[in-house]
Structure formats: structure tokens, C-alpha cells
């Protein structure tokens, strides 16, 4: 799998997710087998570039290459300027967001709202591709709603403009994250273009990744929500795609160490005060399918210091030893059912 000059180590990617795929999380996913990761979306409005939030979102210091920044906006010139700005700061790939379904983003005529105006889509991709000398990719959805699906048109416009890779989430904007992803549309897009196509949507397991690649013919898969609290899913999928066999669940001691690494990087990135608060969602995702996870999450959310949070997480994973030396997924539900 290749994007421009960048040869990737595999075809299992991390989806850009606002509030999730910050630098510490992206780096951890890459360490655990992801072949590629894209930053949270950065606003194209130049008044926001110097804000603390935007600066964090485009910070790739020390990150495993290639370094990709996703940009979002509606004005072709602003997006082109934003692309240049980020390339000057070290971005090696620029990704254009035309897939976000969030209401406040679409109300600003950004994200998947752009799919309603194909002429504007063309002006945007032409402007961004022409502005930088690095590969430009596009993430989009199948259309605005089920009555207005235009993924094939958008794909052709993008390819004609010189877009290097397409990532298609198999839902319309109106679908949000409901219902099942439309893999038939991804397959049709793959057949209609000569550039790489990445399938996104509902890829939650190694078997599902294999199925999606088979039915769509896509070049890669992109995993989003399933990686929250389970960043080792990338090595699990990669191993299964290469061998047809499953890796065992991670060792409890390995996850304890990974959690400590992730949290310390998270605190260093955000500072102690904000770091403790933004880490809570990550910790909640890590423990949600484990015995005692929900009770622990509620208590952990009351902790106010780095040291208290680190100690609580370490003690929680120490408690998982009573169920075995490897994580026991969904043990809580199994015990309740029994």
C-alpha cells in the first residue's frame, strides 16, 4: 500500500476522530500495528491556526512517518492556504475532510455538507492539490442522504484533480453512524477509479476486515470507533489478514504497561489539569468490556490528579489477574448472563 512516495507497512489504518486521534493515541496505534494514521481535523480558518487546540491537532513531533494532517473547511482558498501552512510545519500528506456528519460542522457547510455541491468539491480539490507538493487524499461519505448519493461522481472529480487516495465511509451524512455500512457503494467506487480506495465503516474485528476487503475490493481498511480502548486491534487485524489466524488477547501485564505509556504521553501532551480530564474517556474505553470496568470507570472519573489516576488504573489491571494472564473481553456480560 502506497500513498504518493510513502510506502506503508500494511493496509490497516486509523480513522481520524475528533477528540480521540491526538498525537499520543496515533503514535500508540502505530506502535501496535497500524500502517497509517491521520490527525484530527484542523480548521481551515486562518484565525484559528494559532489557537492551542489547533496547534495540538497538528502537532506531529516525534510521530512515526508518514505524518498526515486532515483539514476541514468550505472555502477553497482557505483550505489551500491551510494545506500549505501544515506542509510547512511538517505534514507529509494532506487529507481533506468531506465525511464528518456532525451537525455543527455541516451547518458551517463543511465536512459531508460539501457533498451537496459538486462544483464546490471540484474547486476545493483542485485548489488544495495545486497548493502543495505532497500527496492529497480525500475522506468522504456516500452522499448527503439515501436519495442523494453521489459517491461515484465525487470519486471521479477527486481522481481527475490529482487526489492520491480516497477513503469512503459507507454511510450518507443523514445516516450518521446508524444502520449498516454500504459496502456495495465502496465496491462501485473502487471499480470506477484507478487510485487507491480505503473502506471505512463498521470494521470491528479481523474477520470483518477480511470480509470488507473481499466484498469491496478496497486497497485498505480504516478502523475508527473499534480502536477506542483497543489500539491493539490493528496488529490483530494485520496478523489475521496475513495468516488467517487470530492473535491471542493481550497479556494483562502488557496492557498495564501500554496504559501507563499512553497516559504519561497524554499528560505530557495536554498538561496535568486538562490531561487528567481528557484521559477519562480513554480509560473508560479500555475497561468497558472487562469485569468491574463500569464500577471502576465511575470511581475513576472522580479522581483529580495524575498520580491518583495512574495508581487507580494500575490497580484495576492488577485486579484482572484473577481472571487469567490475558484480558478477558466481555467477561462482565458473560458473568451476568450466567
Amino acid at each position: 500500500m502506497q500513498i504518493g512516495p510513502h510506502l506503508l507497512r500494511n493496509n490497516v489504518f486509523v480513522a481520524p476522530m475528533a477528540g480521540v486521534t491526538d498525537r499520543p493515541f496515533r503514535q500508540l496505534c502505530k506502535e501496535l500495528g497500524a500502517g497509517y494514521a491521520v490527525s484530527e481535523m484542523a480548521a481551515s480558518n486562518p484565525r484559528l491556526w494559532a489557537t492551542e487546540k489547533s496547534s495540538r491537532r497538528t502537532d506531529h513531533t516525534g510521530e512515526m512517518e508518514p505524518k498526515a494532517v486532515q483539514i476541514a473547511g468550505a472555502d477553497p482558498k482557505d483550505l489551500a492556504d491551510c494545506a500549505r501552512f501544515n506542509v510547512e510545519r511538517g505534514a507529509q500528506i494532506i487529507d481533506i475532510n468531506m465525511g464528518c456528519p456532525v451537525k455543527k460542522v455541516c451547518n458551517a457547510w463543511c465536512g459531508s455538507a460539501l457533498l451537496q455541491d459538486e462544483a464546490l468539491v471540484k474547486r476545493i480539490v483542485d485548489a488544495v492539490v495545486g497548493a502543495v507538493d505532497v500527496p492529497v487524499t480525500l475522506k468522504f461519505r456516500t452522499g448527503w442522504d439515501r436519495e442523494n448519493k453521489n459517491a461515484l461522481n465525487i470519486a471521479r472529480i477527486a481522481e481527475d484533480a490529482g487526489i492520491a487516495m480516497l477513503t469512503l465511509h459507507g454511510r450518507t451524512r443523514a445516516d450518521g453512524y446508524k444502520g449498516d455500512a454500504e459496502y456495495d457503494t465502496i465496491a462501485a467506487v473502487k471499480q470506477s477509479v484507478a487510485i487507491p480506495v480505503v473502506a471505512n465503516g463498521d470494521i470491528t474485528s479481523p474477520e470483518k476486515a477480511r470480509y470488507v476487503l473481499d466484498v469491496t475490493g478496497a486497497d485498505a481498511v480504516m478502523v475508527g470507533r473499534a480502536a477506542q480502548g483497543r489500539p491493539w486491534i490493528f496488529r490483530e487485524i494485520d496478523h489475521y489478514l496475513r495468516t488467517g489466524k487470530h492473535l491471542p488477547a493481550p497479556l494483562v501485564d502488557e496492557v498495564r504497561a501500554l496504559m501507563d505509556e499512553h497516559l504519561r504521553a497524554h499528560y505530557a501532551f495536554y498538561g496535568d489539569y486538562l490531561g487528567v480530564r481528557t484521559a477519562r474517556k480513554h480509560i473508560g474505553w479500555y475497561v468497558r468490556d472487562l469485569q468491574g470496568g463500569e464500577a471502576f470507570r465511575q470511581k475513576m472519573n472522580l479522581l483529580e490528579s495524575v498520580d491518583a489516576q495512574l495508581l487507580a488504573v494500575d490497580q484495576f489491571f492488577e485486579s484482572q489477574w484473577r481472571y487469567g494472564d490475558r484480558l478477558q473481553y466481555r467477561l462482565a456480560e458473560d458473568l451476568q448472563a450466567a
Side-chain angles (χ1 to χ4, degrees), residues 188-211:
V189 167
K190 173 57 187 173
Q191 293 171 3
S192 72
V193 297
I195 57 177
V197 173
V198 182
N200 178 219
D202 297 346
I203 298 167
T204 56
S205 68
E207 296 93 339
K208 190 63 175 291
R210 177 76 275 166
Y211 169 79

Side-chain angles (χ1 to χ4, degrees), residues 23-24 56 59 261-276 306:
R23 190 187 73 200
R56 278 203 199 96
D59 185 341
E261 174 192 344
H262 184 188
L263 289 175
R264 291 182 187 277
H266 190 89
Y267 304 140
F269 190 66
Y270 288 99
D272 288 1
Y273 180 83
L274 186 57
V276 165
V306 164

Side-chain angles (χ1 to χ4, degrees), residues 161-195:
I163 290 292
M165 182 181 78
L166 298 169
T167 299
L168 181 54
H169 185 121
R171 289 182 173 89
T172 68
R173 186 271 167 182
D175 291 330
Y177 296 99
K178 298 176 184 177
D180 296 325
E182 312 164 36
Y183 298 130
D184 55 340
T185 304
I186 299 176
V189 167
K190 173 57 187 173
Q191 293 171 3
S192 72
V193 297
I195 57 177

Side-chain angles (χ1 to χ4, degrees), residues 175-288:
D175 291 330
Y177 296 99
K178 298 176 184 177
D180 296 325
E182 312 164 36
Y183 298 130
D184 55 340
T185 304
I186 299 176
V189 167
K190 173 57 187 173
Q191 293 171 3
S192 72
V193 297
I195 57 177
V197 173
V198 182
N200 178 219
D202 297 346
I203 298 167
T204 56
S205 68
E207 296 93 339
K208 190 63 175 291
R210 177 76 275 166
Y211 169 79
V212 170
L213 287 171
D214 288 344
V215 300
T216 64
D219 301 279
V221 290
M222 182 171 276
V223 181
R225 289 169 291 165
Q228 295 173 356
R230 194 173 175 173
W232 44 86
I233 194 173
F234 299 100
R235 73 181 182 194
E236 293 174 340
I237 292 175
D238 178 52
H239 182 81
Y240 185 80
L241 293 179
R242 288 186 290 104
T243 69
K245 298 178 180 179
H246 288 281
L247 286 175
L251 292 164
V252 171
D253 280 351
E254 180 192 14
V255 176
R256 285 177 72 184
L258 287 172
M259 281 290 297
D260 189 74
E261 174 192 344
H262 184 188
L263 289 175
R264 291 182 187 277
H266 190 89
Y267 304 140
F269 190 66
Y270 288 99
D272 288 1
Y273 180 83
L274 186 57
V276 165
R277 283 148 185 81
T278 54
R280 289 170 180 161
K281 60 190 173 190
H282 286 282
I283 297 169
W285 290 327
Y286 277 108
V287 305
R288 61 186 167 190

Side-chain angles (χ1 to χ4, degrees), residues 29-258:
C29 290
K30 289 179 177 180
E31 291 173 4
L32 291 171
Y36 179 63
V38 184
S39 74
E40 305 169 78
M41 60 182 177
S44 63
N45 185 336
R47 294 192 299 274
L48 301 177
W49 295 352
T51 65
E52 188 174 11
K53 184 176 182 180
S54 291
S55 296
R56 278 203 199 96
R57 287 189 168 190
T58 57
D59 185 341
H60 291 262
T61 305
E63 186 176 346
M64 193 183 302
E65 296 184 351
K67 301 174 182 179
V69 172
Q70 186 180 78
I71 60 176
D75 181 85
K77 182 181 183 304
D78 281 354
L79 283 160
D81 290 343
C82 184
R84 277 191 291 265
F85 174 78
N86 279 285
V87 169
E88 289 167 1
R89 297 187 70 211
Q92 296 166 304
I93 298 171
I94 295 294
D95 184 62
I96 305 172
N97 182 318
M98 294 191 188
C100 181
V102 175
K103 187 175 181 179
K104 67 178 182 180
V105 174
C106 290
N107 284 347
W109 204 252
C110 302
S112 53
L114 293 167
L115 301 177
Q116 298 173 92
D117 189 340
E118 293 181 7
L120 179 56
V121 169
K122 177 172 171 34
R123 293 199 300 275
I124 287 172
V125 292
D126 283 342
V128 176
V129 170
V132 293
D133 59 0
V134 303
V136 178
T137 62
L138 174 67
K139 190 171 192 294
F140 65 121
R141 286 185 169 235
T142 59
W144 177 249
D145 55 31
R146 292 296 177 99
E147 288 69 45
N148 295 278
K149 294 200 293 186
N150 59 346
L152 289 174
N153 290 348
I154 299 297
R156 294 188 189 106
I157 290 169
E159 183 178 36
D160 290 345
I163 290 292
M165 182 181 78
L166 298 169
T167 299
L168 181 54
H169 185 121
R171 289 182 173 89
T172 68
R173 186 271 167 182
D175 291 330
Y177 296 99
K178 298 176 184 177
D180 296 325
E182 312 164 36
Y183 298 130
D184 55 340
T185 304
I186 299 176
V189 167
K190 173 57 187 173
Q191 293 171 3
S192 72
V193 297
I195 57 177
V197 173
V198 182
N200 178 219
D202 297 346
I203 298 167
T204 56
S205 68
E207 296 93 339
K208 190 63 175 291
R210 177 76 275 166
Y211 169 79
V212 170
L213 287 171
D214 288 344
V215 300
T216 64
D219 301 279
V221 290
M222 182 171 276
V223 181
R225 289 169 291 165
Q228 295 173 356
R230 194 173 175 173
W232 44 86
I233 194 173
F234 299 100
R235 73 181 182 194
E236 293 174 340
I237 292 175
D238 178 52
H239 182 81
Y240 185 80
L241 293 179
R242 288 186 290 104
T243 69
K245 298 178 180 179
H246 288 281
L247 286 175
L251 292 164
V252 171
D253 280 351
E254 180 192 14
V255 176
R256 285 177 72 184
L258 287 172

